[in-house]
Amino acid sequence: MLSAWQHLSRIARASRSIPTTDLYFANACRDWLKPAVRSGAGELRRHREPLIRRIGANSFLAGDQAVVCRRDASGVVDAILSDPALQLTYVIDDDLDAAHDDESLPADYRSRLARLREGQYRALVERAQTIVVPTDHLAAKFAATHDVRQLGPVWAGPLADDSHFDRLARGKAFQIAYLGSVTHGADRAFVIKVLEAVLAARPDAAVTMIARGKLGCSLDGHPRLRLRRPLPWALHRARHARLRFHLALYPMLDTPFNRGRSINKVIEHAVLGAVGLYSADWVFADRIRDGETGFLAPNEESAWVAAILSAMDDPAGLRAMQAKARAAAQVLNDPTPQRLFWGERLGLEGWRRFEA
C-alpha cells in the first residue's frame, strides 16, 4: 500500500509547477530531485529515491524538512501543515498584502491574490520556521517574526548569444519586447504610450507583447505588433528558447505591488538575447551599468522613446552591450548561493561537500 507521501509524489508528477518553484528551488537543485546518489568512491549509482522528494507541483520533502513554493494543491499543503514533525521553509516572491492596495492591478488578479493571501499564504507563513524571499522589501516584511533568507532567481538553460544581431545587417526589423503581463497594470499603460511613439517614428521597429486579445489602444491591428498569448510556465520557458530580441523594456513605476518584485527580468532578457531598458529609480537599477550592461531612464515617456531610438541608431554598439549584459546576467544567474542554502537547509551538506 502506498504511503500518503508516495501517493502525493505520484500526483506531483502530473502537476504543473510555477515560476517561483523553478526560479528559487528546482532549477538549482534539479539533480537532487532525480533518483541518483553518489557513492563514496565518486561513482554515480542509481537509487530508488531521490535526495529530495517532490510531493506536489511546488512542494518538496527531504527527511523532516519540507519546502513549499508560493502555493500548491490543498491536499499537499494540508498534509504538510498537519505534520508536526516537519520543519517548513516557505518561498514567497510577491508582496501579497500590497496587492490589496494596488489599484493598478487587474481586479481578477487582485481577487486571486486575495484568495491566496487569506488561505494558504497566511497558513504557511504562520507555520514556517524559515521564509525565503528575493528582495529587501520582502525580507524586511518578515524579519521581526521569522528566520528570513534572501535568494536571487536562477534560470535553467543557456543565455542567448548575439547571432540574431546579424539579421539587422540584412535589413530585418529591430525587435523590441515588452513581456510584462496584465498584472503589470501601470507599467503596461506607460509602455504602450512609449511603443506607440516608437512605431510611429521608426518603420524598421517591430514589437512583441504578451496579451490574450486586443490591447484596447491604437496599437491594436498594427502590422508591426505581434501579440503572444500567455502560456503555462513550462510552455512559456520552451517558447523563450526560440525567441530572440534586440531590446527589452521593463519600466517599474512606483506602485505598492512593484516594490516587492525581483530582479528576475534582467536574467530573462538575457535568455532572450536582449539588452534591457529599465527604470532609473528601480530598486535594482544599481545592478545595471547604464550604457554598458543596459539602459536606465526616468519614468517619462519622452525619455524612454529617446532611449529606444538611440539604441536603434547604433546597432553595433548595442550588440557590444549585449555581450556585456549577458556576462552580467550570468553572474546573477549563478546557482551556487541557492545550492549552498538548500544543501544546508535540507541536510545535504555531505553531498554538497563531495560535489565541491
Side-chain angles (χ1 to χ4, degrees), residues 237-315:
R237 292 194 324 259
R239 183 169 66 185
H240 267 34
R242 303 189 302 270
L243 297 178
R244 293 294 179 268
F245 300 100
H246 303 109
L247 188 68
L249 315 182
Y250 195 55
M252 286 291 285
L253 276 63
D254 186 16
T255 67
F257 196 66
N258 275 356
R259 292 166 199 158
R261 293 192 192 268
S262 76
I263 200 171
N264 177 57
K265 274 292 188 289
V266 173
I267 305 172
E268 184 176 359
H269 291 164
V271 170
L272 297 161
V275 176
L277 170 57
Y278 307 96
S279 294
D281 61 355
W282 182 33
V283 68
F284 289 110
D286 62 347
R287 305 290 187 91
I288 307 299
R289 298 196 302 276
D290 188 23
E292 294 185 40
T293 62
F295 298 104
L296 299 173
N299 289 332
E300 301 166 1
E301 293 171 18
S302 59
W304 280 65
V305 172
I308 294 169
L309 298 183
S310 178
M312 293 184 66
D313 285 337
D314 185 15

Side-chain angles (χ1 to χ4, degrees), residues 72-216:
D72 214 322
S74 58
V76 174
V77 173
D78 289 346
I80 292 171
L81 294 174
S82 63
D83 189 337
L86 294 178
Q87 296 288 303
L88 174 61
T89 300
Y90 182 43
V91 183
I92 185 68
D93 55 349
D94 278 322
D95 188 348
L96 301 189
D97 295 310
H100 177 74
D101 301 317
D102 194 337
E103 295 184 357
S104 73
L105 299 174
D108 61 337
Y109 185 60
R110 291 173 71 189
S111 296
R112 292 201 304 273
L113 292 181
R115 289 193 295 272
L116 175 59
R117 183 183 69 243
E118 298 306 322
Q120 290 187 7
Y121 168 78
R122 291 215 185 281
L124 289 164
V125 167
E126 182 177 345
R127 174 71 167 76
Q129 285 74 38
T130 298
I131 294 183
V132 172
V133 297
T135 66
D136 290 342
H137 174 84
L138 289 172
K141 182 182 179 70
F142 299 108
T145 56
H146 289 79
D147 170 40
V148 180
R149 304 301 175 93
Q150 192 169 326
L151 295 175
V154 172
W155 280 73
L159 307 184
D161 63 20
D162 63 352
S163 59
H164 55 295
F165 278 78
D166 291 340
R167 304 171 195 169
L168 296 178
R170 299 196 299 268
K172 299 295 184 180
F174 185 98
Q175 298 292 335
I176 302 170
Y178 174 65
L179 303 176
S181 69
V182 293
T183 68
H184 290 257
D187 311 321
R188 193 178 175 90
F190 173 87
V191 86
I192 283 173
K193 294 295 186 182
V194 171
L195 292 173
E196 286 174 337
V198 170
L199 288 175
R202 295 294 295 255
D204 55 336
V207 170
T208 295
M209 294 181 65
I210 304 294
R212 293 188 182 279
K214 292 184 177 180
L215 298 173

Side-chain angles (χ1 to χ4, degrees), residues 15-24 26-27 30 54 57-58 71 93 153-156 229-241 264-265 268 271:
S15 302
R16 292 178 177 174
S17 66
I18 57 176
T20 307
T21 304
D22 279 356
L23 297 176
Y24 299 99
N27 286 344
R30 188 76 63 186
R54 191 168 204 152
N58 310 298
R71 59 173 170 79
D93 55 349
V154 172
W155 280 73
R229 291 182 61 81
L231 294 175
W233 172 238
L235 297 178
H236 178 82
R237 292 194 324 259
R239 183 169 66 185
H240 267 34
N264 177 57
K265 274 292 188 289
E268 184 176 359
V271 170

